[in-house]
């Protein structure tokens, strides 16, 4: 069975995301030889269908990447993240 490609219109976005989570996503996208955008689209489309986007091998790799980047967050933290104030290294300096 041949799969037909669906034509879409993509837009640039300025989404803010937790730093270590982004590092894991980027590393996993690189591991799968795909763009971050393609990975995110796939994750969201699977989630919208109520399906897990990852198989056992991918979940193992993600677990390794989370450990490497120090990402201890899991789904229990969803909607419970508080952003810290950005630290200004040059606060008070007169350059």
């Amino acid at each position: 069975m041949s799969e037909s490609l669906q034509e879409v219109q993509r837009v640039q976005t300025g989404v803010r995301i937790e730093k270590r989570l982004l590092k894991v996503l980027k590393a996993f996208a690189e591991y799968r030889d795909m763009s971050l955008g393609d990975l995110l689209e796939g994750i969201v489309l699977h989630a919208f269908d109520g399906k897990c986007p990852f198989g056992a091998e991918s979940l193992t790799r993600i677990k390794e990447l989370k450990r490497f980047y120090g990402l201890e967050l899991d789904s229990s933290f969803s909607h419970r993240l508080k952003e810290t104030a950005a630290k200004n290294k040059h606060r008070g300096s007169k350059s």
Side-chain angles (χ1 to χ4, degrees):
M1 176 193 303
S2 69
E3 296 181 20
S4 62
L5 297 177
Q6 178 68 44
E7 194 169 305
V8 296
Q9 180 181 8
R10 290 196 168 103
V11 296
Q12 192 66 35
T13 180
V15 174
R16 293 174 57 82
I17 189 168
E18 200 280 330
K19 184 178 180 177
R20 295 163 299 171
L21 180 57
L22 180 60
K23 287 181 178 186
V24 170
L25 286 168
K26 283 180 164 182
F28 187 72
E30 177 67 26
Y31 172 73
R32 296 290 308 265
D33 196 27
M34 62 190 334
S35 72
L36 177 61
D38 284 344
L39 176 65
L40 292 174
E41 286 174 346
I43 291 170
V44 171
L45 290 171
H46 277 80
F48 284 175
D49 286 345
K51 299 177 181 178
C52 180
F54 306 112
E57 181 183 328
S58 292
L59 289 171
T60 298
R61 182 65 177 172
I62 290 167
K63 186 176 180 179
E64 293 168 355
L65 291 168
K66 285 177 67 174
R67 189 174 328 122
F68 181 80
Y69 288 108
L71 178 61
E72 297 174 355
L73 302 174
D74 61 24
S75 61
S76 70
F77 289 93
S78 181
H79 308 294
R80 296 190 315 116
L81 301 176
K82 178 182 175 188
E83 188 167 355
T84 59
K87 295 180 180 176
N88 185 350
K89 294 180 181 179
H90 303 290
R91 190 178 304 167
S93 66
K94 297 181 181 186
S95 308

